[in-house]
Amino acid sequence: MKVAVVGATGMVGQVMLKVLAERNFPVTELIPVASEKSVGKKITFNHKTYSIVGLETAVNMQPDIALFSAGGETSLTWAPKFAAVGTYVIDNSSAWRMDDTKKLIVPEINATSLTKNDKIIANPNCSTIQLVMALKPLHDKFSVKRVIVSTYQSITGTGVKAVKQLENEYANKKDEMAYPYPIHKNALPHCDVFLDNDYTKEEMKLTHETKKILGDENVFVSATAVRIPVVGGHSEAVNIEFEKDFDLNEIKTTLKDFPGITLQDNPAVNSYPMPIYAEGKNDVFIGRIRKDHSHPKAINMWIVADNLRKGAATNTVQIAEYLIKNILS
């Protein structure tokens, strides 16, 4: 299996390589791809050393699968070129997510919709992935009507520049900033750019992508996305209104039984999800599940996941695993 990792030197690209190794993905030849300034540099994967190549070279090498995490513009330009030589592209940017001709995939939810003709496959937004992992089993059983979500998102979602900003602020050092304001000791209600409706792009991703993944335009999502000075992962406070009546124990059992979810829900012993413990793990962690005392058919919950793992790299690799098992075999 010839596998290209496009954006191999970036934060998500590095985690992709780690996840590929951890999950014993059948890589017979790795093609690490990065920008021209990185071409020729060496990286190590599974105790072997590889030279970084440029995009044109990688296309000519005709990989079986290309995992993309190099930004939307790169994906729009280069994903079709890889697809044209027979490569299956799994793209981690927002470039193809809302394209009607492309599938938006969370393997536990909708991987079975993939066919051999799906050469470009979109990986959802990190905060969307952990939200729909919780919504899917509940929607199937109780019909989700409306979701109100507030996110508390890690700076790693912005990238290396944001991590550097926080480190500089810890050290009381002035340097280039990823955000318009300090992030240390702060919370910014500003993830991505503001749109004409005064929501941010991140907030509208949660709205539109959730509908597409669940395959239901009648699931309404209202989001507020906030950036906080945390490294380990994204957290979400979520209120879910259902069409049907429910039993709280059945809600918990339904979530616990869904693959990829770990239930941490025992307030009596202070057991609840936190990003400091989700970091480096592939599951989505759910807790603080309780009835909404202001609404008879609603609940509140708290969802946490490592945004570089299940929110990006792990989900991408899981899609590739599905392709190998069901389409490429």
Side-chain angles (χ1 to χ4, degrees):
M1 186 62 55
K2 198 186 288 188
V3 179
V5 176
V6 180
T9 58
M11 287 190 83
V12 174
Q14 289 286 296
V15 180
M16 280 179 180
L17 292 169
K18 202 178 286 187
V19 173
L20 286 168
E22 286 173 4
R23 296 173 75 92
N24 296 313
F25 193 88
V27 179
T28 52
E29 185 181 349
L30 178 72
I31 306 170
V33 188
S35 62
E36 288 303 318
K37 66 181 181 182
S38 296
V39 170
K41 291 180 180 176
K42 308 288 185 187
I43 68 159
T44 303
F45 174 76
N46 271 352
H47 312 295
K48 290 182 185 176
T49 301
Y50 297 86
S51 293
I52 292 171
V53 301
L55 284 154
E56 194 73 61
T57 301
V59 170
N60 292 335
M61 293 172 78
Q62 298 184 343
D64 298 291
I65 294 174
L67 311 181
F68 266 63
S69 187
E73 288 302 314
T74 300
S75 295
L76 285 171
T77 302
W78 288 94
K81 295 181 181 181
F82 278 89
V85 297
T87 301
Y88 284 89
V89 174
I90 307 167
D91 180 46
N92 199 53
S93 80
S94 61
W96 304 99
R97 289 176 188 156
M98 297 313 298
D99 185 320
D100 290 339
T101 67
K102 305 293 182 288
K103 307 276 175 63
L104 185 61
I105 298 295
V106 177
E108 295 90 341
I109 296 173
N110 60 352
T112 54
S113 69
L114 291 172
T115 72
K116 64 179 182 1
N117 298 319
D118 292 309
K119 291 294 187 183
I120 299 175
I121 301 161
N123 201 53
N125 182 44
C126 46
S127 51
T128 303
I129 290 173
Q130 66 190 73
L131 178 64
V132 295
M133 283 285 289
L135 293 181
K136 172 60 177 173
L138 299 179
H139 186 49
D140 287 350
K141 217 159 201 178
F142 308 106
S143 297
V144 173
K145 185 176 178 182
R146 184 172 186 239
V147 179
I148 300 171
V149 53
S150 296
T151 71
Y152 304 76
Q153 295 185 214
S154 164
I155 56 167
T156 56
T158 307
V160 175
K161 191 176 172 184
V163 175
K164 193 68 182 166
Q165 176 179 333
L166 182 60
E167 288 172 351
N168 287 337
E169 288 170 5
Y170 277 145
N172 205 23
K173 177 183 170 187
K174 291 202 178 297
D175 205 342
E176 190 180 10
M177 293 172 67
Y179 303 116
Y181 298 100
I183 190 64
H184 179 43
K185 295 184 179 179
N186 202 9
L188 299 177
H190 181 180
C191 295
D192 213 321
V193 297
F194 284 102
L195 304 173
D196 290 342
N197 64 359
D198 288 341
Y199 284 81
T200 63
K201 201 172 177 182
E202 183 81 5
E203 290 160 353
M204 295 313 297
K205 285 175 190 174
L206 278 158
T207 299
H208 298 313
E209 292 179 22
T210 297
K211 290 172 183 278
K212 183 172 179 178
I213 295 163
L214 296 180
D216 192 339
E217 286 295 316
N218 294 315
V219 175
F220 296 101
V221 180
S222 180
T224 301
V226 182
R227 191 74 64 185
I228 60 172
V230 161
V231 174
H234 292 350
S235 304
E236 296 173 348
V238 185
N239 180 275
I240 307 168
E241 180 186 341
F242 299 106
E243 291 276 3
K244 300 176 183 176
D245 290 323
F246 62 86
D247 174 79
L248 204 58
N249 287 327
E250 196 178 358
I251 293 276
K252 293 180 182 183
T253 302
T254 300
L255 290 169
K256 188 179 179 182
D257 290 345
F258 195 71
I261 286 177
T262 293
L263 205 63
Q264 285 185 319
D265 190 54
N266 191 351
V269 293
N270 297 334
S271 175
Y272 37 72
M274 291 180 287
I276 197 169
Y277 295 122
E279 186 176 10
K281 298 182 177 71
N282 295 319
D283 270 10
V284 173
F285 298 85
I286 301 177
R288 295 297 321 279
I289 302 166
R290 60 216 188 270
K291 283 188 174 180
D292 179 350
H293 58 73
S294 71
H295 194 293
K297 291 186 180 178
I299 60 169
N300 291 296
M301 65 172 62
W302 179 249
I303 305 170
V304 178
D306 185 327
N307 55 295
L308 298 181
R309 288 263 178 168
K310 184 55 181 170
T314 302
N315 200 73
T316 305
V317 173
Q318 285 176 310
I319 295 170
E321 288 171 343
Y322 182 88
L323 290 177
I324 287 175
K325 188 176 179 182
N326 298 279
I327 293 172
L328 295 175
S329 58

